[in-house]
Amino acid sequence: GNSVTQMEGPVTLSEEAFLTINCTYTATGYPSLFWYVQYPGEGLQLLLKATKADDKGSNKGFEATYRKETTSFHLEKGSVQVSDSAVYFCALSGGNAGNMLTFGGGTRLMVKP
Amino acid sequence: GAGVSQSPSNKVTEKGKDVELRCDPISGHTALYWYRQSLGQGLEFLIYFQGNSAPDKSGLPSDRFSAERTGGSVSTLTIQRTQQEDSAVYLCASSSLHGVQPLHFGNGTRLTVT
């Protein structure tokens, strides 16, 4: 079945630092890939997505590129802000395992001023 | 309402008691999901409903867990004879159709079994 592995947190950065959160996946077929974000006290919300190989999803300064050759979908941001402090979840759906959304373990990001 | 609503937001119960968690999805969304978020772990799929089709219960961890969705709208997740390992945040999400992104999540119910 499908599975998603992402780096454990917490990740602590200073404001304006560069962010990378690694995500790799296991799936057969051609899944779609997602990053969801959970801000403190709020529900998860979709941050960005990519539906085919080499696609780049982007939103709010965050980017992630669907790399089929390395089965990865790493999340990056050039300059983080305190307001980016949240838990980030990598997820996938589709491929040969159907449309169920499978999540990674989540990575907590803390940005200090 | 504007989003997915879950109640209660927090629930503390004694081991062995039954609990009911409620989810009110976005109006018109036919797909509804329950996930469990345990400390230090990712989101674990529990069950989903799509319209009037039979629910996919493949993620329910034991027969103490059950869920229903009345009238294609509100859903209730019931945990019987709660155990301490049931302590987690229970998240509900809905989407316009199964497989269609994004999922819209509620804020969750934090369940603590003492």
Side-chain angles (χ1 to χ4, degrees), chain A residues 27-99:
Chain A
T28 53
Y30 300 91
S32 295
L33 302 174
F34 309 86
W35 278 99
Y36 275 76
V37 58
Q38 186 178 30
Y39 297 105
E42 299 184 16
L44 276 80
Q45 56 188 272
L46 180 66
L47 178 61
L48 55 83
K49 67 177 181 181
T51 57
K52 62 182 186 296
D54 300 324
D55 264 4
K56 178 184 287 187
S58 61
N59 186 24
K60 300 182 179 180
F62 290 88
E63 293 182 339
T65 301
Y66 188 161
R67 300 287 189 199
K68 192 165 179 63
E69 63 276 15
T70 54
T71 61
S72 65
F73 193 54
H74 304 322
L75 182 68
E76 296 182 336
K77 185 173 186 181
S79 176
V80 293
Q81 305 300 312
V82 173
S83 58
D84 293 327
S85 298
V87 182
Y88 293 82
F89 292 90
C90 187
L92 69 81
S93 73
N96 291 351
N99 290 328

Side-chain angles (χ1 to χ4, degrees), chain B:
Chain B
V4 176
S5 177
Q6 291 188 245
S7 61
S9 55
N10 281 284
K11 176 71 176 179
V12 179
T13 190
E14 292 180 352
K15 178 182 173 181
K17 295 288 181 71
D18 297 352
V19 295
E20 285 189 352
L21 313 180
R22 176 188 168 104
C23 172
D24 200 340
I26 291 173
S27 178
H29 278 191
T30 62
L32 185 148
Y33 306 80
W34 284 97
Y35 283 85
R36 179 167 69 175
Q37 184 178 17
S38 302
L39 186 64
Q41 301 192 18
L43 276 71
E44 173 189 8
F45 163 73
L46 298 177
I47 185 171
Y48 90 85
F49 299 86
Q50 170 56 56
N52 294 323
S53 302
D56 179 344
K57 304 178 182 180
S58 59
L60 295 178
S62 79
D63 59 8
R64 296 187 295 106
F65 288 72
S66 63
E68 63 178 21
R69 188 178 185 192
T70 54
S73 181
V74 172
S75 177
T76 302
L77 177 69
T78 301
I79 309 173
Q80 296 178 309
R81 305 180 303 281
T82 52
Q83 303 295 313
Q84 288 187 331
E85 61 264 27
D86 299 335
S87 297
V89 177
Y90 290 82
L91 296 172
C92 177
S94 70
S95 70
S96 57
L97 187 68
H98 175 56
V100 172
Q101 298 293 336
L103 297 190
H104 297 262
F105 282 84
N107 288 359
T109 294
R110 181 176 297 278
L111 175 66
T112 303
V113 182
T114 61

